[in-house]
């Protein structure tokens, strides 16, 4: 992830978490109102080019939602694995406010700091998460069994 993507994920974290919860509940729900046609409609010709099977369409829709849900979960986990990096008290407070879904204006009012200062703190948080990302990639590339003499 680059700094812009991290910033967007921090901003969207709250709704993404809520959406993950909602989607998981939908995936667990196996019932539905899928009713087959009956009467004269069932004997009429169907449109060409697509499936008219409601079960197949629901499977396709859920498969697309499942892939989207995986993307959301990846982004949320990215942030959750890096929360421990933020050790400064002000940065922690700003981060928690962002994760709770507060706007930057609301955070400014809550913290009693200038808007510019809040944005600097946010940029510092993003940079720390970004540097951890680069350090983590570097660490993975290094061989584990080699030692410096």
């Amino acid at each position: 992830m680059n700094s812009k993507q991290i910033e967007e994920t921090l901003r969207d974290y709250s709704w993404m978490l809520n959406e993950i919860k909602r989607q998981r509940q939908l995936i667990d729900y196996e019932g539905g109102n899928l009713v087959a046609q009956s009467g004269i409609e069932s004997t009429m010709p169907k449109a060409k080019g697509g499936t008219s099977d409601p079960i197949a369409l629901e499977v396709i829709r859920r498969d697309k939602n499942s892939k989207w849900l995986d993307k959301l979960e990846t982004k949320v986990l990215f942030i959750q694995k890096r929360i421990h990096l933020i050790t400064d008290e002000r940065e922690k407070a700003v981060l928690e406010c962002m994760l709770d879904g507060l706007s930057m204006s609301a955070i400014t009012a809550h913290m009693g700091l200038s808007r510019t200062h809040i944005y600097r703190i946010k940029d510092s948080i993003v940079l720390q998460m970004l540097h951890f990302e680069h350090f983590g990639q570097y660490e993975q590339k290094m061989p584990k069994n080699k030692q410096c003499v």
Side-chain angles (χ1 to χ4, degrees), residues 6-120:
I6 293 172
E7 198 172 319
E8 288 175 2
T9 304
L10 285 171
R11 185 187 63 230
D12 297 341
Y13 181 89
S14 180
W15 74 258
M16 287 192 295
L17 204 57
N18 290 333
E19 186 62 21
I20 289 169
K21 264 191 274 188
R22 189 182 77 81
Q23 289 292 330
R24 282 188 178 171
Q25 288 173 348
L26 288 175
I27 289 172
D28 290 343
Y29 176 69
E30 296 186 9
N33 298 358
L34 302 176
V35 178
Q37 290 180 341
S38 61
I40 190 85
E41 290 86 16
S42 63
T43 60
M44 300 298 284
K46 307 293 185 266
K48 299 287 183 203
T51 180
S52 63
D53 180 15
I55 302 296
L57 290 173
E58 182 63 13
V59 168
I60 292 167
R61 184 186 72 81
R62 287 187 183 197
D63 183 55
K64 288 179 183 177
N65 280 351
S66 177
K67 291 175 184 174
W68 180 61
L69 181 61
D70 289 342
K71 288 179 184 177
L72 290 180
E73 288 174 345
T74 301
K75 290 179 179 182
V76 167
L77 283 172
F78 178 91
I79 298 299
Q80 289 174 343
K81 289 179 180 178
R82 287 156 181 79
I83 290 174
H84 73 277
L85 299 173
I86 310 307
T87 56
D88 181 73
E89 295 301 320
R90 282 187 178 178
E91 289 177 350
K92 278 183 186 181
V94 170
L95 177 61
E96 288 299 322
C97 289
M98 290 175 72
L99 297 180
D100 289 339
L102 270 66
S103 68
M104 295 308 280
S105 298
I107 296 170
T108 299
H110 169 68
M111 298 281 295
L113 300 172
S114 73
R115 189 178 188 100
T116 308
H117 192 63
I118 294 294
Y119 276 99
R120 272 193 232 125

Side-chain angles (χ1 to χ4, degrees), residues 113-130:
L113 300 172
S114 73
R115 189 178 188 100
T116 308
H117 192 63
I118 294 294
Y119 276 99
R120 272 193 232 125
I121 291 172
K122 179 199 52 131
D123 291 342
S124 172
I125 292 167
V126 169
L127 282 176
Q128 289 177 58
M129 290 186 174
L130 183 65

